[in-house]
């Protein structure tokens, strides 16, 4: 079983990339589970109809609930992708991080990960702000981390921080499998990302440009692969998928995140170059 | 060697705890063959034997903690005597065994049904209590335990004799005399015990087995059966030797001892709270001058919990729960004081408890409210608590005429020596306005400013507890050497008179006080002169300015005054190795200055802690005061440890102290049992 996690700055495109990759794995005949580790539970948005979305936290809220079964937790999404949504508190209260840890406990109790999946894709919320959001990096969960980034400074900054979390959890067999470029169209973006990937000792994967088809598909609550399989951006996702599919142990590394001062220097150089 | 859960380990504490600071003396505890403990009590010239069957409730006897407690014998036919003893012992035992019911009192192995009757039998049944080559009774050692011929043999041996016992499973032929039938098996002896030592072995083994078996247990001979040992050693703290700040000066004890309309709201869950020993366990300190504090129904009734579930923690946090609980408490209890206590989890998830409590305050302006913020690395903010208490409750009103003091840290209303102090003060027309720390009374706190002086008990822990509050009080604070011993009490009174600028009591006053006391004191002091007290001090100790006082108690001077001869051992500490000789000379000099009866004083230099064990064993003294924290050399040397906790304030308190120390010195418990204790280097 391959276990992938997509991390990256908030709004960078993790869910979009992860969902398309899940769909492509499924189209390739694999049994895929996509786990949304985000209280705003939008990971399965393009796979499961809104009204059918159940979140683990929501299910646990039902009075009298002690344990959850696999059937309760797992939703069967379109395109053959199974989905789990963590859910969590309203913004500003409670503890979403603890909620993610709790969701992993539920996955264990309901033996969800032992039900014959070939690929598990974790779609994690923005920054790794506390231990709860690093839960997918614990032993037995994700092993390949893909960092989604653009050429913008804060996106790179977040990517660098995520690399620190990967180093912390490297003892669990977690490694960085590559940087996914979700381009914003700023100048020298690709070169900056390439340099960044090289600096941290990793590689840059097939870049995804901005394309209106993504949002067009989103309006129909679908992935581009489903909605417009022939448009250019669908081919980019497929090319990225090809690289992810071919990824082996050798392609993964323990990254060398930059120190804060190094990072500043890197940004300065990238601007000047 | 006897392990942590060996019964003997507990007996010294059992006896002392039952007797300490009460009119009852406990002359000893005997274990019965049938799982009973007999406590021999003396009080008011009468004797009462109480029996405690720790495991089985008996139909015709009063039930007590899953067993029964009853009066077996009493020297008087007046039923009130037995009842009083029963009440007293029940209260003490409840306090002592609230949480840590030690092995000697717990029926073990309830979960064990099928037991293999084979070589591992003893291990399965008695864990570490009966260990071959280790367990000793008197001069006998459990030398052999073998499974042979459908029976289990136990051999206790001494140089001169051997006692052979058999455990025989139900249905198998008895071996010799059946001493006790447990149901699944019986204990037999080849011959009846011939000496006291042998009788005590039989009692002991019988007792341990009685606690280890239950009627439903089945013995399976060499077939499959589970054999589990119950080896969970329990950690015990020797309460007389702890060097930490006494736990009784704490927020929880203050709240537990509070009198008046207090309500508490804890933003915490039950689990978290049950780990807070001060909240749920008995007071750890046995400081005799302080009240016994333990959770009581009253305390629990005053306490409400938000009791967040994990789901609530994740999904909503607890601010709403706290707000509605505060509201409910205020409406239903109409408290005079509301204390809101925070805990770790709400803080971790960012609940703003402070804001919630402040909101409640705004809505109930006249309700004194204290918000206790818990930090992860601090058990409670008790220091700020005293400040807040003064701030919230004390009101400025017109002063009552006449002089008045607040006693800070002298104890609470239940402290035995306090009434005497108050009475002494009133004899010089000084009113005791309030007694706070470790507990408080809401009415007293309200009139807290109606005093001329805050007299602070001269000990670091009290000083620290009250330091923050002092500037809030509007009353001057001062310390005077605490009233311990006859001289000390007298000096204290004079000093208080001086601080308050009142007429000090004259010589006739003291003469009259002493006259009622003198004869008894002198008789006891004559007995004390026949005893020596070993005193173990560290050389660095004498560099401290108040080295003759511990926790505010001038124990050394008191011992001297009582007439005990002192054998002081000055131990070299590593930190000051080079200056040991100088420190030693200094120690001699200081001791010479402080003590008046130099005749009975000897001072010895001890170069290393290792040599101390020997000195203690050979020393011709019964009581030992030691400053080596948690040092078990004292008890393993067969000596009785004493500590500042054994001392009481006032003239009468001094008398009680003297009597207590003599009782301890003359109770041969440790002489008799020290060889059963684990060695000095053993760690729980
Ligand atoms: N290649 C692209 N072209 C155009 N729009 C895109 C592209 N990738 C993502 N988007 C849009 O960006 C928005 C954010 O994307 P997405 O939800 O995937 O980000 P995210 O990283 O998962 O965000 P969050 O951190 O909030 O979970 C979405 O509206 C999505 O349609
Ligand atoms: Mg997302």
């Amino acid at each position: 079983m391959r276990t992938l996690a997509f991390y990256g700055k908030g709004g960078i495109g993790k869910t979009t990339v992860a969902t398309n990759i899940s769909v492509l794995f499924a189209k390739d005949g694999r049994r895929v589970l996509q786990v949304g580790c985000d209280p705003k539970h939008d990971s399965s948005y393009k796979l499961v109809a809104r009204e059918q979305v159940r979140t683990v936290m929501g299910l646990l809220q039902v009075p009298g609930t002690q344990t959850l079964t696999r059937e309760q937790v797992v939703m069967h999404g379109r395109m053959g992708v199974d989905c789990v949504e963590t859910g969590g508190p309203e913004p500003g209260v409670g503890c979403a991080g603890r909620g993610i840890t709790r969701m992993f406990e539920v996955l264990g109790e309901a033996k969800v990960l032992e039900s014959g999946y070939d690929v598990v894709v974790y779609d994690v919320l923005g920054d790794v702000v506390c231990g709860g959001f690093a839960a997918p990096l614990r032993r037995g969960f994700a092993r390949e981390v893909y960092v989604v980034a653009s050429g913008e400074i804060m996106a790179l900054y977040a990517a660098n921080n995520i690399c620190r979390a990967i180093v912390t959890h490297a003892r669990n067999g977690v490694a960085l499998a590559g940087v996914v470029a979700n381009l914003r169209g700023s100048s020298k973006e690709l070169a900056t990302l390439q340099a960044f990937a090289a600096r941290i000792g990793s590689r840059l994967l097939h870049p995804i440009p901005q394309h209106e088809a993504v949002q067009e598909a989103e309006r129909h609550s679908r992935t581009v692969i489903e909605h417009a399989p022939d448009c250019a951006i669908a081919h980019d996702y497929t090319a990225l998928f090809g690289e992810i599919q071919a990824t082996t142990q050798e392609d993964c590394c323990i990254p060398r995140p930059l120190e804060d001062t190094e990072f500043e220097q890197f940004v300065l150089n990238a601007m000047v170059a | 060697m006897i392990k942590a859960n060996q019964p003997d380990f507990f007996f010294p504490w059992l006896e002392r705890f039952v007797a300490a600071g009460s009119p009852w003396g406990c002359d000893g505890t005997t274990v019965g063959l049938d799982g009973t403990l007999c406590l021999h009590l003396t009080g008011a010239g009468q004797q009462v034997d109480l029996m405690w069957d720790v495991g089985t409730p008996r139909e015709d006897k009063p039930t007590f903690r899953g067993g029964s407690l009853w009066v077996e014998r009493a020297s008087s036919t007046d039923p009130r005597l037995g009842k009083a003893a029963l009440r007293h012992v029940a209260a003490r035992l409840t306090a002592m065994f609230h949480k840590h019911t030690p092995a000697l009192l717990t029926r073990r192995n309830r979960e064990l049904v099928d037991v293999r009757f084979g070589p591992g039998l003893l291990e399965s049944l008695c864990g570490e209590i009966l260990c071959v080559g280790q367990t000793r009774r008197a001069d006998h050692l459990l030398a052999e335990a073998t499974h042979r011929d459908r029976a289990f043999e136990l051999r206790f041996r001494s140089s001169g004799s051997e006692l052979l016992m058999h455990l025989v499973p139900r249905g198998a032929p008895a071996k010799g005399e059946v001493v006790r039938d447990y149901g699944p098996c019986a204990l037999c002896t080849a011959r009846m015990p011939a000496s006291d030592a042998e009788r005590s072995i039989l009692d002991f083994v019988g007792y341990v087995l009685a606690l280890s078996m239950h009627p439903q247990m089945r013995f399976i001979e060499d077939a499959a059966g589970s054999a589990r040992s119950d080896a969970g050693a329990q950690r015990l703290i020797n309460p007389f030797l702890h060097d930490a700040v006494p736990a009784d000066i704490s927020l929880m004890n203050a709240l537990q001892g509070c009198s008046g309309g207090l309500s508490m709201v804890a933003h915490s869950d039950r689990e978290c709270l049950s780990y807070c020993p001060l909240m749920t366990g008995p007071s750890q300190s046995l400081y005799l001058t302080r009240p016994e504090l333990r959770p009581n129904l009253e305390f629990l009734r005053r306490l409400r919990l938000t009791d967040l579930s994990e789901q609530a923690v994740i999904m909503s946090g607890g601010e709403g729960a706290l707000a509605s609980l505060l509201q409910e408490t205020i409406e239903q209890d109409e408290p005079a004081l509301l204390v809101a206590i925070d805990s770790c989890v709400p803080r971790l998830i960012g609940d703003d408890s402070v804001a919630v409590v402040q909101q409640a305050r705004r809505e109930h302006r006249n309700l004194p409210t204290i918000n206790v913020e818990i930090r992860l690395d601090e058990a409670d903010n008790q220091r700020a608590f005293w400040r807040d208490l003064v701030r919230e409750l004390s009101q400025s009103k017109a002063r009552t005429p006449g002089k008045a003091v607040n006693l800070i840290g002298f104890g609470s209303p239940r402290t035995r020596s306090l009434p005497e102090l108050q009475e002494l003060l009133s004899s010089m027309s000084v009113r005791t306005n309030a007694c706070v720390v470790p507990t408080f009374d809401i009415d007293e706190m309200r009139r807290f400013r109606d005093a001329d002086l805050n007299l602070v008990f001269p000990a670091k822990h009290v000083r620290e507890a009250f330091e923050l509050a002092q500037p809030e009080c509007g009353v001057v604070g001062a310390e005077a050497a605490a009233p311990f011993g006859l001289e000390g009490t007298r000096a204290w009174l004079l000093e208080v008179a001086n601080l308050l600028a009142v007429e000090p009591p004259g010589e006739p006053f003291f003469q009259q006080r002493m006259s009622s006391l003198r004869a008894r004191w002198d008789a006891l002091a004559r007995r004390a002169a026949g005893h020596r007290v070993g005193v173990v001090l560290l050389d660095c100790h004498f560099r401290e300015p108040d080295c003759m006082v511990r926790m505010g108690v001038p124990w050394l001077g008191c011992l001297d005054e009582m007439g005990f001869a002192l054998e002081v051992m000055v131990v070299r500490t590593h930190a000051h190795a080079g200056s040991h000789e100088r420190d030693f000379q200094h120690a001699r000099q200081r001791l010479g200055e402080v003590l008046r009866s130099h005749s009975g004083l000897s001072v010895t230099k001890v170069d290393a802690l290792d040599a101390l064990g020997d000195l203690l064993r050979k020393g011709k003294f019964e009581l030992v005061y030691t400053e080596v924290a948690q040092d078990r050399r004292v008890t393993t040397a067969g000596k009785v440890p004493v500590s500042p906790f054994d001392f009481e304030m006032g003239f009468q308190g001094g008398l009680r102290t003297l009597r207590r120390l003599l009782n301890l010195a003359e109770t041969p418990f440790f002489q008799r049992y020290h060889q059963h204790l684990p060695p000095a280097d053993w760690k729980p």
Side-chain angles (χ1 to χ4, degrees), chain B residues 95-144:
Chain B
M96 187 180 187
F97 297 124
H98 178 68
K99 266 192 124 168
H100 301 289
T101 305
L104 85 156
L105 305 166
T106 321
R107 273 193 182 266
R108 300 142 59 89
N109 304 335
R110 279 181 205 280
E111 77 289 7
L112 217 60
V113 177
D114 293 334
V115 183
R116 175 123 109 239
F117 200 86
L121 180 71
L122 220 50
E123 165 79 45
S124 331
L125 284 182
C126 310
E128 294 173 310
I129 292 188
L130 292 177
C131 299
V132 175
Q134 294 193 349
T135 301
R136 291 177 174 278
R137 293 301 293 184
D139 49 354
H140 286 63
L141 175 76
L142 175 56
E144 257 180 64

Side-chain angles (χ1 to χ4, degrees), chain B residues 367-387:
Chain B
L367 173 58
T369 307
I370 293 178
N371 195 8
V372 178
E373 291 179 64
I374 305 277
R375 278 192 19 206
L376 287 180
D377 55 351
E378 253 175 29
D380 57 50
N381 74 345
Q382 45 114 347
R383 295 181 61 200
F385 177 74
W386 289 105
R387 182 199 58 204

Side-chain angles (χ1 to χ4, degrees), chain A residues 10-16 38 40 126 182 209-211 214-215 218:
Chain A
I12 198 72
K14 297 175 297 289
T15 303
T16 313
D38 186 337
K40 69 179 180 297
N182 203 36
Q210 286 284 308
H211 199 297
V214 174
Q215 296 187 10
E218 199 169 66

Side-chain angles (χ1 to χ4, degrees), chain B residues 284-310:
Chain B
Q284 288 169 1
S285 153
L286 300 181
Y287 205 159
L288 294 167
T289 59
R290 305 208 178 276
E292 299 160 40
L293 297 170
R294 53 172 185 270
N296 46 37
L297 278 178
E298 178 56 23
F299 177 72
L300 295 174
R301 198 185 58 71
R302 293 164 157 187
L303 174 71
R304 293 167 199 237
L305 303 168
T306 48
D307 211 3
L308 294 186
S309 64
E310 179 165 66

Side-chain angles (χ1 to χ4, degrees), chain B residues 314-346:
Chain B
I314 296 171
M315 294 305 287
S316 55
E319 290 183 14
L322 178 60
S324 52
L325 192 63
L326 286 169
Q327 188 60 31
E328 180 189 311
T329 306
I330 293 168
E331 276 166 16
Q332 294 181 2
D333 294 7
E334 295 176 2
L337 171 69
L338 179 67
V339 176
I341 306 162
D342 208 352
S343 70
C344 306
V345 170

Side-chain angles (χ1 to χ4, degrees), chain A residues 57 61 88-89 94-95 98 102, chain B residues 310-311 313-317 349:
Chain A
M57 288 304 125
Q61 284 283 84
C95 187
R98 174 69 201 147
R102 179 81 191 99
Chain B
E310 179 165 66
Q311 206 51 31
V313 164
I314 296 171
M315 294 305 287
S316 55
I349 64 171

Side-chain angles (χ1 to χ4, degrees), chain B residues 213-228:
Chain B
M213 282 186 255
H214 56 83
Q216 282 72 39
M217 204 177 247
R218 282 188 306 246
F219 285 127
I220 299 168
E221 282 184 71
D222 287 332
S226 64
R228 248 196 61 201

